[in-house]
């Protein structure tokens, strides 16, 4: 096992992954270990780009991983499976095995729907205790919680979702009114951890959860991280160079995907198509397709978000971090329409300006 003295301590940042044995989490943890060992370059990491590389972000060496999950093989076996599918080099699981074992030891049992008869208030307290213990065990400056689990079903409307007092009253009465994703979000906020929802879950859409973030003074961001298929969905096929030619769009088929699911870590193919009318009324079609692995595309963004949210927490940022909209297909600022109106280039410029404008104590 990895010697604990090699990690943690002053300046270290915890990254707590909800869904810690899933393909995305496993790729993220293995990738961070490979970066720490100098085995790979930070390809795909936005924070490694020239505009952001000078920021005082946590180093990849400073990231300590743990998480919640309810089932699945251990991290070493999960990473071996991914290597067998061609998601990562075949020799990598052996080279980072110690780091995977160390992270596996920090995975705790997560929420499981009814959760063995415990009421949801008790579940939130238990999940929060796991985070506090992780921070103390490793002597971490802070812990960023990132939800990379499969999205849960949209919960039916309930009066307890509308406000924090109503939610507390319902939980005190033993009512189970929250989806699992909201249990994790509430636990993170209660433990004073910045929270990122990388999946399209319902948690941050609930006013009561956002009120809890405001009460605790914690930053949060999400939802639906842009990786492969979601990036194709969110970026119009009429890219600027094409749009400037002024064709008349007639119809769009919308993105479609085939192949292994993102949850399996498999390869996927996504396509988009747009029909348009050119000069002299000639009808034409633009087709766009990509083939890639969702977990490989998303893992560097998870590392980016963990590093940037740690920086935001150091700077005392509170509430929704709108400037991280660049990373999400469906961001959760107070006014989502504002994010939707901004182009990807405008969102990136806003991200860079925000990050460099943070006043971080020395």
């Amino acid at each position: 096992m990895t010697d604990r003295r090699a990690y943690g301590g002053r300046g270290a940042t915890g990254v707590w992954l909800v869904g810690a044995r899933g393909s995305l989490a496993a790729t993220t943890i293995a990738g961070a270990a490979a970066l720490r060992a100098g085995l790979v370059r930070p390809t795909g990491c936005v924070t490694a780009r020239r505009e952001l590389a000078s920021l005082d972000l946590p180093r990849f060496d400073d990231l300590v991983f743990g998480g919640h999950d309810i089932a699945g093989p251990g991290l070493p076996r999960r990473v071996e499976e991914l290597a067998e599918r061609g998601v990562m080099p075949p020799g990598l699981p052996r080279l980072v095995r110690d780091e995977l074992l160390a992270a596996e030891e920090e995975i705790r049992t997560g929420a499981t729907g009814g959760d063995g008869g415990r009421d949801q208030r008790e579940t939130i307290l238990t999940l929060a205790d796991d985070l506090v213990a992780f921070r103390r065990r490793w002597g971490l400056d802070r812990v960023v919680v990132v939800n990379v689990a499969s999205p849960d079903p949209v919960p039916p409307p309930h009066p307890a979702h509308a406000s924090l007092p109503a939610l507390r009253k319902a939980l005190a009465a033993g009512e189970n009114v929250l989806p699992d994703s909201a249990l994790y979000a509430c636990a993170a906020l209660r433990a004073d951890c910045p929270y990122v929802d990388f999946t399209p879950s319902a948690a941050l859409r609930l006013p009561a959860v956002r009120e809890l973030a405001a009460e605790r003074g914690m930053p949060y961001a999400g939802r639906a991280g842009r990786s492969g298929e979601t990036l194709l969905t969110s970026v119009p096929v009429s890219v600027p160079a094409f749009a400037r030619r002024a064709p008349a769009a007639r119809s769009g088929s919308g993105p479609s995907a085939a192949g292994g699911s993102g949850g399996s870590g498999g390869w996927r193919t996504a396509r988009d198509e747009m029909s348009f009318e050119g000069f002299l009324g000639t009808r034409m079609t633009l087709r766009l397709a990509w083939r890639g692995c969702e977990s490989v595309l998303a893992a560097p963004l998870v590392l980016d978000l963990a590093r940037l949210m740690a920086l935001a927490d150091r700077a005392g940022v509170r509430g929704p971090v709108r400037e991280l909209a660049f990373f999400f297909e469906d961001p959760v600022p107070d006014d989502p329409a504002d994010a939707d109106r901004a182009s990807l280039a405008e969102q990136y410029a806003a991200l860079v300006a925000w990050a460099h404008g943070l006043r971080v104590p020395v």
Side-chain angles (χ1 to χ4, degrees), residues 47 86 117 148 251 258:
T47 49
V148 294
S251 65

mmCIF file of all heavy atoms in Angstrom, residues 47 86 117 148 251 258:
data_model
loop_
_atom_site.group_PDB
_atom_site.id
_atom_site.type_symbol
_atom_site.label_atom_id
_atom_site.label_comp_id
_atom_site.label_asym_id
_atom_site.label_seq_id
_atom_site.Cartn_x
_atom_site.Cartn_y
_atom_site.Cartn_z
ATOM 1 N N THR A 47 -6.942 23.096 -17.131
ATOM 2 C CA THR A 47 -6.095 23.858 -16.216
ATOM 3 C C THR A 47 -4.614 23.755 -16.573
ATOM 4 O O THR A 47 -3.790 24.459 -15.981
ATOM 5 C CB THR A 47 -6.301 23.396 -14.770
ATOM 6 O OG1 THR A 47 -6.220 21.957 -14.713
ATOM 7 C CG2 THR A 47 -7.660 23.852 -14.260
ATOM 8 N N GLY A 86 -9.038 -1.148 -23.723
ATOM 9 C CA GLY A 86 -8.298 -0.166 -24.504
ATOM 10 C C GLY A 86 -8.497 1.253 -24.062
ATOM 11 O O GLY A 86 -8.108 2.192 -24.774
ATOM 12 N N GLY A 117 -33.025 0.951 6.020
ATOM 13 C CA GLY A 117 -33.971 1.330 7.056
ATOM 14 C C GLY A 117 -33.635 2.623 7.763
ATOM 15 O O GLY A 117 -34.437 3.113 8.558
ATOM 16 N N VAL A 148 -19.784 11.818 -9.629
ATOM 17 C CA VAL A 148 -19.589 11.222 -10.949
ATOM 18 C C VAL A 148 -20.378 9.922 -11.060
ATOM 19 O O VAL A 148 -20.094 9.081 -11.913
ATOM 20 C CB VAL A 148 -18.095 10.974 -11.238
ATOM 21 C CG1 VAL A 148 -17.345 12.282 -11.341
ATOM 22 C CG2 VAL A 148 -17.449 10.080 -10.167
ATOM 23 N N SER A 251 -33.161 22.134 -41.104
ATOM 24 C CA SER A 251 -33.551 21.213 -40.039
ATOM 25 C C SER A 251 -32.306 20.592 -39.438
ATOM 26 O O SER A 251 -31.230 20.619 -40.034
ATOM 27 C CB SER A 251 -34.466 20.098 -40.579
ATOM 28 O OG SER A 251 -33.753 19.282 -41.498
ATOM 29 N N ALA A 258 -24.194 5.687 -30.288
ATOM 30 C CA ALA A 258 -24.200 4.241 -30.366
ATOM 31 C C ALA A 258 -22.941 3.722 -29.712
ATOM 32 O O ALA A 258 -21.965 4.440 -29.562
ATOM 33 C CB ALA A 258 -24.265 3.777 -31.824
#
